[in-house]
Amino acid sequence: MSDHDYRPKSKVGQWFNDRLPLLTLANHLTDYPTPKNLNYWWTFGGILTFCLITQIVTGLTLAMHYIAHADMAFESVEHIMRDVNYGWLIRYIHANGASMFFLAVYIHIFRSLFYGSYKAPREIIWIIGIIIYLLMMAAAFMGYVLPWGQMSFWGATVITNLFSAIPLVGEGIVTWLWGGYSVDNPTLTRFFTLHYLIPFLILGLVVLHIWALHVPGNNNPVGIDIKKPSKDTVPFHPYIVIKDGFALLMFMIVFAFFVFYAPNILGHADNYIEANPMVTPAHIVPEWYLLPFYAILRSVPDKLLGVVAMLSAILILAVLPWLDTSKIRSAVFRPLYKQFYWILVADVLILGYVGAMPAEGLYLLIARVATAYYFLHFLVILPVLGFKEKTLPVPLSITEPVLGGSPNLAAARNKESKIE
Amino acid sequence: MKNLFKLFSIIILIITSNSNSFAAEKVEYLKTDWSFKGLFGKFDRASLQRGYQVYTEVCASCHSMKYLSYRNLAEPGGPEFSEAQAKAIAASFEVTDGPNSDGEMFTRPGKLSDKFVMPYDNVKAAQAANGGAYPPDMSVLVKARGGGVDYIYSLLQGYEEAPSNVSLDDGVYYNKYMYGNKIRMAAPLSDGLVEYGDGTNATVEQMSKDVTTFLMWSAEPHLESRHQMGFKAIVYLIILTVLVYFSMKRIWSRVESEV
């Protein structure tokens, strides 16, 4: 933070700011020097903040009408849909908002993977991000249980049962999680409590995430360190604010389409059947955003190892800054990594697809190959690539590729030959 | 800009292809024109009223609709019976109320605020009366089935003689649209089963369409206002997006960079 010398103009402002430097903070946020070559993949941070706030506001409103009781939850959701003023709107925003949140977070994560934003000095931002992502999954899973439909109940049964794979104490842990000997009312009430709590934990972590970001400043598509402030940067306000706002509006159009015209397309029809412990649905599938991990879980024949594989698939991301040995951040200058990156994207999409399919025959085979490749990418390809790959020359500042039209090779080469 | 468009089209493609993949069994359902589909989709009032008649004269003897109240029948966006008509409909049902000051339960004619009277007291009673099968509550039935309205519409017309290689137990019927083809409900509709007040010919096809429309409304009673609000919201967002785009261009023209 380079703006400690900021002083408010008014006397009152100075008096207040000397006691609580909120105005200094506001000044820092508006002046915050941001690389001017950020592309639209960088707008998803702002979009995610919007998603979180939307979920919290709609969630609070829903909680005023929802009843967390096994006998009344389903009915109270119907009450919200029918009798609460605009209850249908609030619930559909909240339900589809979860999907939009994950859509945005996946783009945000894959942007970071492409441009190497997780590398030094941004490891802490990245790790906080992974914790936020884990909490998001927990919140989404527990939120899906609350309407107490068939998929809620059986999804909760399948996922909580995973803990029984832990040797010796597994069964005890499951009973403890359930608050009884099956998923029932105590499970519902504790899930509701935690579902209410987690968004505020996420909010706190988001503050840390942004704080940690503001220490080194944003990475950028070229992936080089820049001087701040300089002619490579623009102040956050108004440049980035308006650009983020524009992207957010585009995102909201997609969001609105789902809410108003296809509000149930992302959910499962079975969740409109009230939970019934005596009837198991034909296929138990999680929400789309958890499918890749569900595929990894099911691709391992052993229950305990399956759970270990699924958890490792997420936790491996936390050590990514040390698995990726390349000194170059942006994939723009890493021709080989760029190809492996797109293979990884395809691999995760394939995992998502087979996660929705029954775990048998060809689907199972594909899931196993895709799971193996997922780990291969992080554990073998990335570490080796850092040593073997011949990277392209990197420009010395942002201004050149920007003036050259795009962060391309020609501009970089030009500069290099001049130096020589 | 180009990237952004690419991005959003990819997103929509992925999501829609992903959600379609949930439909495990692919059956070609019968198609008909639903007035409530599309950007401006609205319910066909007359069809909803006929659909209510089919429900109450045919389905309601076994299927409950516990989340609906008689007042809903007169509310905007639904069958829109007049309040007098809805009151008369409600009054034609006996509702158990109480306890009164003597501590006794009593029956009285239904009021607008009452929920639809259920055909059975509880699930067990419903199962006992239907050979062990529970006739599902119909309030959100359309949303609770993968195929939605097309599935219900087809199922009602899907009864036929079982192929020779399929053996059916007593009280089980063959339906080509039912999951597994075996259904515990006998064909509920036959030509001329109800007599429509508006003179519409009560064919099985017509009744299926009317009652399915009614079920769509019962599952999504606010569908019309959702579509209306959605259109306004999206038009508003598009206009705002265009305005913000030009302001952004203006602001960014001060620096040598592209947005």
Side-chain angles (χ1 to χ4, degrees):
Chain A
M1 291 190 206
S2 58
D3 35 25
H4 290 304
D5 46 357
Y6 167 79
R7 267 191 85 68
K9 286 190 192 79
S10 75
K11 273 257 155 57
V12 181
Q14 286 173 16
W15 179 88
F16 182 84
N17 207 45
D18 288 343
R19 283 149 185 83
L20 180 67
L22 271 187
L23 293 169
T24 303
L25 177 67
N27 176 260
H28 162 76
L29 291 177
T30 52
D31 281 359
Y32 173 65
T34 317
K36 67 179 181 182
N37 62 337
L38 296 188
N39 55 33
Y40 282 98
W41 301 107
W42 258 268
T43 60
F44 281 88
I47 287 170
L48 282 162
T49 314
F50 165 81
C51 287
L52 177 62
I53 308 262
T54 306
Q55 290 305 86
I56 289 178
V57 171
T58 52
L60 285 175
T61 323
L62 288 174
M64 292 173 192
H65 301 281
Y66 170 79
I67 302 165
H69 189 286
D71 295 336
M72 286 180 273
F74 192 86
E75 190 181 345
S76 73
V77 171
E78 279 307 311
H79 164 69
I80 290 168
M81 292 297 289
R82 289 161 194 277
D83 297 330
V84 174
N85 290 332
Y86 298 104
W88 58 269
L89 177 62
I90 298 164
R91 174 164 177 262
Y92 278 156
I93 291 177
H94 196 73
N96 287 283
S99 283
M100 293 297 122
F101 206 158
F102 274 94
L103 178 65
V105 91
Y106 282 126
I107 295 172
H108 195 61
I109 291 171
F110 274 100
R111 187 270 292 155
S112 185
L113 291 180
F114 188 85
Y115 294 109
S117 302
Y118 49 83
K119 293 185 197 185
R122 297 184 180 82
E123 300 96 320
I124 299 293
I125 314 174
W126 171 256
I127 289 169
I128 293 172
I130 296 299
I131 299 171
I132 293 174
Y133 175 51
L134 272 171
L135 285 175
M136 275 176 65
M137 289 201 277
F141 160 67
M142 288 191 243
Y144 197 57
V145 174
L146 302 186
W148 211 240
Q150 274 289 68
M151 237 8 119
S152 302
F153 182 89
W154 290 99
T157 303
V158 169
I159 301 297
T160 48
N161 251 317
L162 295 179
F163 290 90
S164 70
I166 302 169
L168 301 174
V169 291
E171 294 292 338
I173 287 177
V174 173
T175 308
W176 178 72
L177 285 174
W178 285 341
Y181 296 102
S182 68
V183 173
D184 206 338
N185 197 50
T187 326
L188 178 59
T189 49
R190 68 190 54 189
F191 275 23
F192 179 55
T193 311
L194 294 173
H195 183 72
Y196 206 118
L197 168 72
I198 291 174
F200 296 98
L201 299 181
I202 294 178
L203 189 64
L205 285 167
V206 166
V207 171
L208 294 183
H209 194 63
I210 296 173
W211 186 1
L213 168 72
H214 280 232
V215 176
N218 288 71
N219 183 28
N220 63 76
V222 184
I224 52 170
D225 291 322
I226 50 171
K227 262 179 60 188
K228 288 172 288 261
S230 71
K231 61 178 180 159
D232 281 349
T233 66
V234 288
F236 190 77
H237 182 76
Y239 295 97
I240 303 300
V241 169
I242 188 105
K243 191 172 172 179
D244 278 1
F246 169 67
L248 174 61
L249 283 166
M250 298 275 285
F251 184 80
M252 281 168 79
I253 293 172
V254 178
F255 196 152
F257 172 78
F258 279 105
V259 168
F260 292 109
Y261 291 107
N264 292 308
I265 198 168
L266 300 171
H268 196 291
D270 277 9
N271 228 26
Y272 278 106
I273 303 172
E274 192 167 0
N276 184 350
M278 313 304 279
V279 181
T280 315
H283 300 290
I284 301 174
V285 281
E287 292 274 77
W288 68 267
Y289 38 78
L290 302 176
L291 286 173
F293 299 106
Y294 194 53
I296 291 175
L297 169 76
R298 294 192 305 177
S299 68
V300 181
D302 181 77
K303 190 173 173 184
L304 177 60
L305 291 179
V307 175
V308 169
M310 181 177 70
L311 285 177
S312 324
I314 305 166
L315 294 177
I316 203 168
L317 293 172
V319 289
L320 179 61
W322 297 276
L323 288 175
D324 185 347
T325 48
S326 176
K327 291 278 174 281
I328 305 293
R329 292 200 191 98
S330 174
V332 172
F333 304 102
R334 298 183 61 190
L336 280 178
Y337 173 72
K338 197 194 254 176
Q339 290 172 33
F340 284 115
Y341 170 84
W342 287 113
I343 296 173
L344 180 73
V345 172
D347 188 62
V348 172
L349 290 177
I350 289 168
L351 279 172
Y353 178 76
V354 292
M357 294 294 144
E360 58 201 21
L362 186 62
Y363 292 129
L364 189 58
L365 182 70
I366 295 172
R368 285 183 176 157
V369 174
T371 300
Y373 182 80
Y374 181 90
F375 287 104
L376 189 76
H377 176 91
F378 289 107
L379 292 175
V380 180
I381 295 174
L382 279 189
V384 173
L385 213 55
F387 298 111
K388 298 279 179 204
E389 187 176 32
K390 252 183 85 87
T391 55
L392 304 174
V394 175
L396 297 176
S397 85
I398 287 174
T399 321
E400 296 164 58
V402 169
L403 287 177
S406 63
N408 65 7
L409 212 43
R413 286 224 177 95
N414 249 333
K415 177 76 184 178
E416 280 234 324
S417 57
K418 268 185 225 156
I419 291 169
E420 282 163 16
Chain B
M1 275 306 288
K2 237 169 60 189
N3 273 336
L4 203 64
F5 276 121
K6 237 191 277 172
L7 165 68
F8 280 118
S9 44
I10 290 170
I11 289 162
I12 292 173
L13 204 84
I14 290 169
I15 287 177
T16 45
S17 62
N18 229 325
S19 55
N20 286 343
S21 62
F22 288 124
E25 296 246 324
K26 291 259 183 270
V27 199
E28 274 300 313
Y29 295 127
L30 298 175
K31 294 277 176 243
T32 187
D33 290 331
W34 299 110
S35 63
F36 47 81
K37 294 246 159 130
L39 237 54
F40 305 101
K42 281 184 172 198
F43 289 114
D44 176 350
R45 246 21 101 198
S47 182
L48 277 182
Q49 296 198 355
R50 289 195 300 269
Y52 172 70
Q53 190 185 344
V54 176
Y55 166 72
T56 198
E57 289 180 15
V58 183
C59 322
S61 55
C62 299
H63 291 276
S64 60
M65 260 194 167
K66 58 182 174 182
Y67 300 121
L68 271 77
S69 308
Y70 293 111
R71 66 182 158 80
N72 297 137
L73 293 172
E75 278 167 2
E80 296 189 2
F81 287 107
S82 69
E83 194 169 318
Q85 281 173 316
K87 271 185 179 157
I89 288 170
S92 68
F93 292 92
E94 287 265 290
V95 175
T96 306
D97 201 348
N100 61 16
S101 49
D102 298 328
E104 317 240 327
M105 302 302 281
F106 60 93
T107 58
R108 57 162 176 80
K111 293 185 286 194
L112 284 182
S113 56
D114 286 320
K115 296 266 186 222
F116 277 25
V117 173
M118 307 225 279
Y120 303 104
D121 288 338
N122 51 55
V123 173
K124 288 277 179 236
Q127 282 173 329
N130 288 283
Y134 168 60
D137 183 86
M138 279 185 163
S139 313
V140 284
L141 192 67
V142 164
K143 289 198 283 188
R145 296 292 179 272
V149 280
D150 293 329
Y151 168 74
I152 306 277
Y153 176 71
S154 306
L155 183 100
L156 287 170
Q157 303 174 64
Y159 286 89
E160 49 184 45
E161 282 295 312
S164 52
N165 59 343
V166 178
S167 66
L168 296 172
D169 294 339
D170 233 17
V172 179
Y173 306 88
Y174 186 84
N175 188 309
K176 62 175 169 177
Y177 299 107
M178 179 73 183
Y179 188 77
N181 297 123
K182 290 179 183 174
I183 186 166
R184 302 295 287 262
M185 174 174 74
L189 300 175
S190 56
D191 288 333
L193 187 64
V194 300
E195 198 173 319
Y196 282 140
D198 61 2
T200 307
N201 193 8
T203 59
V204 169
E205 193 185 342
Q206 183 65 41
M207 286 186 286
S208 304
K209 186 168 179 177
D210 291 340
V211 79
T212 308
T213 304
F214 179 73
L215 290 178
M216 183 69 215
W217 167 74
S218 72
E220 278 285 304
H222 298 291
L223 178 138
E224 287 190 9
S225 44
R226 173 154 63 76
H227 284 178
Q228 283 160 13
M229 190 191 290
F231 183 72
K232 285 183 213 158
I234 289 176
V235 166
Y236 173 83
L237 282 172
I238 289 173
I239 293 172
L240 190 60
T241 307
V242 170
L243 291 176
V244 169
Y245 175 75
F246 286 113
S247 345
M248 176 179 77
K249 279 291 189 194
R250 181 93 181 250
I251 288 171
W252 276 80
S253 66
R254 295 178 213 155
V255 288
E256 285 166 349
S257 187
E258 50 175 316
V259 270

